[in-house]
Amino acid sequence: MEKFSKKEAIKFGWEIANRKIKFFIPLLILVYGLPALFNSFSDSLKKESFFASFLLNVISSVISIIFGLGLIKISLKLCDGEEARFSDLVSQYKLFFRYLFASFLYGLITLLGFVLLIVPGIILLIRLGFFDYLIVDKNSTIIESLKRSWEITRGNTWNLFLLYFLFALINILGVLALIFGLFWSIPTTMVAEAFVYRKLSSQLKV
């Protein structure tokens, strides 16, 4: 059972965010700006064409998922001391459907946990939450990614809960800092999470 330090993870994330800020600013503008642009067009077309509006929403969702997988790849590369590139943002597109089905299963399982009681839902949310990292990093299958996430997070539920609480506070501070602070807070938490994943996944035999 591997343990991790919240302070160490956040410090590492902050150092990378500062060092790579010129990379992260245009990257995040693209990641959040492009889907927002499609959503804006979708809203303006709702009254004229429901199909066109729906299609733009689908495109926006697909782009967001591909970008999300790309951000995981970028975070892992930076965590490993490798050079990240803009092309990494779309490099994981082949994993789109695998992530989509795994995400659906993850959502269904955690929903059942919340239906039973709030606490089991939170535990499942945390314990299975690294499934996307395992898909990107280990090329895990849908079921395997959830099982491995459960395995590597054993004994770290409370520590991870506190970590994500700190992440929320950091990003709230980013919003309060005239929103521009998000260009530092988002990369900090993003890389810090990858750092924690690397620490926990070191126990995997494969």
Side-chain angles (χ1 to χ4, degrees), residues 34-44 46 53 56-58 60-61 64:
L34 189 58
L37 189 63
F38 276 100
N39 285 331
S40 177
F41 285 138
S42 172
D43 290 339
S44 64
K46 273 183 179 177
S53 175
L56 286 173
N57 276 326
V58 171
S60 175
S61 297
S64 294

Side-chain angles (χ1 to χ4, degrees), residues 14-30 74 78 83-86 180 183-184 187:
W14 174 253
E15 289 173 354
I16 296 293
N18 270 314
R19 194 188 316 153
K20 298 288 185 180
I21 192 62
K22 290 182 180 178
F23 170 74
F24 277 118
I25 288 177
L27 182 78
L28 293 177
I29 289 174
L30 177 62
I74 287 170
L78 291 173
E83 195 64 34
R85 297 180 174 84
F86 265 80
F180 192 71
F183 288 120
W184 275 268

Side-chain angles (χ1 to χ4, degrees), residues 2 14 24 29 36-37 40 50 61-62 65 97 126 162 189 197:
E2 192 70 41
W14 174 253
F24 277 118
I29 289 174
L37 189 63
S40 177
F50 173 79
S61 297
V62 170
I65 290 173
F97 286 106
I126 292 172
L162 292 176
T189 55
Y197 163 76

Side-chain angles (χ1 to χ4, degrees), residues 2-14:
E2 192 70 41
K3 293 289 184 180
F4 68 90
S5 165
K6 297 182 289 296
K7 181 180 178 181
E8 186 183 6
I10 293 171
K11 181 183 177 183
F12 179 82
W14 174 253

